[in-house]
Amino acid sequence: MTQYSDHFGPEGLRVRGTVIVVPGRGETRATYARFGRRLAADAYRVRVIDAPDLDAEDLTDLAARLTEAAEATAPEDGVARPLVLVGADSGAAAIAALLDRAPDSRPDAVVLAGLPGRTPGTPAAGTWDEELDVRTSCPAHRGTLTQDPEVRRGSLDDAIPEAVLAAAYDVEADVPALLLVGDADPLADQEALAHTAKSLPRARLSVVHGAHHDVLNDLQHRSAAGEVVTFLETLRNELRPLITVRSSAW
């Protein structure tokens, strides 16, 4: 059985790169169908893999799955570059923790969305509606999670191994990184994220106003996806934005 879901760009356009999405606790590949379609519309080849079970699967196993998912994304059966890993929640922690372990197989860039804090935040245990309130205020996304029988409810209270979180926050790899977080995310450590972003040589910290833990799938999902695409496009310009914005509304 295929271990990933594919999202293809418009027919006839050159593939601009490969994006592999790693879901977080309790999520499925279907959780990122909307996000995958949106990036694919900009001619990126998007593959969503199954969320890692960090209690049963070590990072070596995850690295192998990522390598397999990156194969045959270019028309010539190679890897369409740049290769970018997008992780959410525990998926973000696992991707960040991998960067210092496998220097020969690093991606060209990473997007770390909703990286959980190293100390527990607001508990998500309780009713399903309470967990949804931690995750998102987007009605469509709440419906997607609720209607997916494979979504594991109560999973946000599962502990992420401390060694993984420590490696994620202490990462030193010289890989372009976008850290994406909602300012209403009760599971995030905003101060620690800012410190990690400043410590990395090529990092960008983007705070999404009003967004909760599922920052890629909250009410601001269009803006969040737009920020990811903007970051992807800067990879071709030494991380410099291609557009300078000046507004009289400020």
Side-chain angles (χ1 to χ4, degrees):
M1 180 179 296
T2 303
Q3 297 302 307
Y4 48 77
S5 299
D6 270 321
H7 299 276
F8 299 94
E11 186 175 354
L13 295 185
R14 179 178 62 86
V15 178
R16 294 188 63 75
T18 301
V19 177
I20 300 178
V21 181
V22 184
R25 288 170 290 181
E27 298 176 327
T28 70
R29 285 179 270 166
T31 306
Y32 290 91
R34 179 175 65 182
F35 177 73
R37 289 193 301 267
R38 184 160 284 133
L39 266 60
D42 280 303
Y44 287 93
R45 178 69 174 275
V46 182
R47 280 184 168 168
V48 186
I49 69 171
D50 292 324
D53 180 354
L54 296 178
D55 286 330
E57 176 182 29
D58 63 28
L59 293 180
T60 302
D61 292 336
L62 176 60
R65 289 204 290 128
L66 290 169
T67 298
E68 179 183 358
E71 294 174 352
T73 55
E76 302 80 12
D77 291 333
V79 178
R81 297 281 179 173
L83 171 61
V84 181
L85 304 182
V86 177
D89 182 61
S90 59
I95 286 174
L98 273 172
L99 291 178
D100 287 333
R101 294 195 179 194
D104 294 333
S105 58
R106 285 177 185 163
D108 297 304
V110 296
V111 176
L112 309 177
L115 186 65
R118 293 179 63 176
T119 56
T122 302
T127 68
W128 176 236
D129 281 342
E130 288 172 339
E131 181 173 348
L132 288 175
D133 289 342
V134 171
R135 286 185 174 276
T136 180
S137 58
C138 175
H141 185 50
R142 291 169 76 101
T144 295
L145 293 173
T146 299
Q147 295 162 20
D148 185 349
E150 300 300 319
V151 166
R152 191 162 50 85
R153 301 187 181 194
S155 58
L156 285 183
D157 283 331
D158 294 348
I160 299 174
E162 172 57 27
V164 173
L165 284 174
Y169 277 95
D170 296 337
V171 63
E172 298 178 350
D174 184 16
V175 175
L178 169 63
L179 283 70
L180 199 62
V181 63
D183 66 1
D185 182 356
L187 304 184
D189 185 335
Q190 305 281 350
E191 183 176 346
L193 282 172
H195 180 270
T196 296
K198 289 180 180 179
S199 70
L200 293 171
R202 294 187 288 170
R204 171 176 179 159
L205 175 61
S206 298
V207 180
V208 182
H209 300 296
H212 297 76
H213 187 60
D214 293 0
V215 63
L216 294 175
N217 281 308
D218 212 341
L219 278 175
Q220 307 80 1
H221 57 88
R222 293 177 181 83
S223 295
E227 182 69 5
V228 172
V229 171
T230 296
F231 173 70
L232 296 178
E233 292 299 309
T234 67
L235 297 178
R236 297 173 175 80
N237 195 41
E238 298 180 352
L239 298 184
R240 295 193 302 269
L242 299 173
I243 298 175
T244 298
V245 178
R246 296 184 176 90
S247 172
S248 62
W250 286 49

